Amino acid sequence: MAEWITGKVTKVTNWTDSLFSITVHAPVAAFNAGQYAKLALEVDGERVQRAYSYVNAPSDENLEFYLVTVPEGKLSPRLFALRPGDELMITKDAAGFFILDEIPECETLWMLATGTAIGPYLSILQEGKDLERFRHIVLVHAARFAADLSYLPLMQQLQQRYNGKLQIQTVVSREEVAGSLTGRVPALIESGQLEQAVDLKIDAETSHVMLCGNPQMVRDTQQLLKDTRQMRKHLRRKPGHMTSEHYW
């Protein structure tokens, strides 16, 4: 049974009409980068809750979450309307296994995300622990429009911080933007464009692929890598090359 505690909103950042970040102070338990908490509000006498990944590093007391407003949703429009000083409920303990402890040794770690699913990777990279075992890290953020790449400045700061180890690549599906690839992630892998852009190969010998986001992207990419690169899902009892989390 989850233990709920009260959190206080300290900051709300509206990136677009539908994308926003919310920062909360709350006495949560220690968590691992890549994990998620549940946020909740009372709506008509009922606790409405949803899971959201931490964007902040575990060492940062500012608990940050990246959300999209679903107009007909029961919770996200109400979270969108919160202002500093408002309260919400948050689970004290984090959950989830989308963490580096679950990732086997490899030369190149690929972090592929769509939309708000960039959050877990930003938490991992901001924390910066246990990354020395990878020679290369590639962070890919796919969105519909360039305006939806809310955390691009932070991604660029992280790229500088890692001094050659981290490459970032943005993907935009509904417009052409300088510096971004155009299309869907699976198609860009199939055509070779993604690998060409970062000058690294995705293969079973050297790579592990983390997939987080739209379930269709996750499924299509897994199937493609299974069929064309002989890669398989990673399990504790049977090590593989792909780790995924649906973010929907």
Side-chain angles (χ1 to χ4, degrees):
M1 195 76 174
E3 181 182 350
W4 291 90
I5 58 177
T6 300
K8 180 166 285 191
V9 176
T10 60
K11 183 181 178 182
V12 179
T13 303
N14 296 325
W15 302 106
T16 68
D17 289 344
S18 60
L19 291 169
F20 68 105
S21 298
I22 187 168
T23 304
V24 178
H25 278 179
V28 297
F31 65 93
N32 291 312
Q35 289 191 301
Y36 62 85
K38 290 182 179 179
L39 303 181
L41 292 170
E42 288 283 338
V43 179
D44 298 327
E46 173 193 359
R47 184 169 62 208
V48 179
Q49 63 189 52
R50 298 288 184 272
Y52 299 103
S53 291
Y54 285 104
V55 174
N56 59 290
S59 55
D60 188 347
E61 67 176 10
N62 296 302
L63 310 178
E64 186 174 355
F65 303 91
Y66 183 36
L67 292 75
V68 61
T69 306
V70 180
E72 67 278 12
K74 292 183 72 174
L75 182 61
S76 61
R78 289 175 168 86
L79 292 173
F80 184 75
L82 292 176
R83 293 295 174 260
D86 290 341
E87 292 183 344
L88 48 64
M89 289 173 283
I90 181 171
T91 47
K92 183 175 181 178
D93 296 304
F97 297 97
F98 200 68
I99 59 176
L100 287 185
D101 285 353
E102 300 291 330
I103 304 300
E105 300 297 324
C106 66
E107 186 173 313
T108 304
L109 179 63
W110 293 79
M111 298 175 160
L112 310 184
T114 58
T116 55
I118 191 70
Y121 300 129
L122 296 176
S123 180
I124 289 168
L125 291 167
Q126 288 186 95
E127 185 70 356
K129 293 181 179 177
D130 198 29
L131 293 172
E132 62 282 345
R133 58 193 177 102
F134 308 111
R135 183 178 176 191
H136 305 289
I137 302 170
V138 182
L139 175 63
V140 177
H141 188 200
R144 294 176 305 165
F145 301 101
D148 299 334
L149 300 169
S150 311
Y151 284 92
L152 181 56
L154 175 57
M155 292 166 62
Q156 291 168 334
Q157 288 173 23
L158 288 166
Q159 186 175 33
Q160 290 183 338
R161 169 179 158 186
Y162 284 98
N163 195 27
K165 179 192 283 282
L166 172 66
Q167 291 195 65
I168 62 172
Q169 181 60 57
T170 54
V171 176
V172 177
S173 62
R174 298 192 185 180
E175 61 181 345
E176 293 194 9
V177 181
S180 292
L181 296 175
T182 306
R184 293 185 66 243
V185 169
L188 293 169
I189 295 174
E190 189 171 22
S191 69
Q193 287 177 267
L194 177 57
E195 291 156 293
Q196 186 177 5
V198 298
D199 196 26
L200 288 167
K201 291 291 183 186
I202 301 176
D203 60 46
E205 253 182 61
T206 64
S207 307
H208 192 92
V209 179
M210 298 178 75
L211 296 155
C212 190
N214 181 319
Q216 193 65 54
M217 182 280 287
V218 172
R219 285 192 294 267
D220 290 349
T221 304
Q222 285 177 328
Q223 192 62 49
L224 173 70
L225 295 177
K226 178 183 176 184
D227 293 343
T228 64
R229 312 295 172 94
Q230 292 71 56
M231 301 175 83
R232 62 177 181 269
K233 289 183 182 180
H234 176 67
L235 304 169
R236 283 181 178 175
R237 64 180 182 276
K238 189 177 182 183
H241 319 97
M242 298 182 286
T243 300
S244 65
E245 182 160 275
H246 290 186
Y247 208 92
W248 205 242

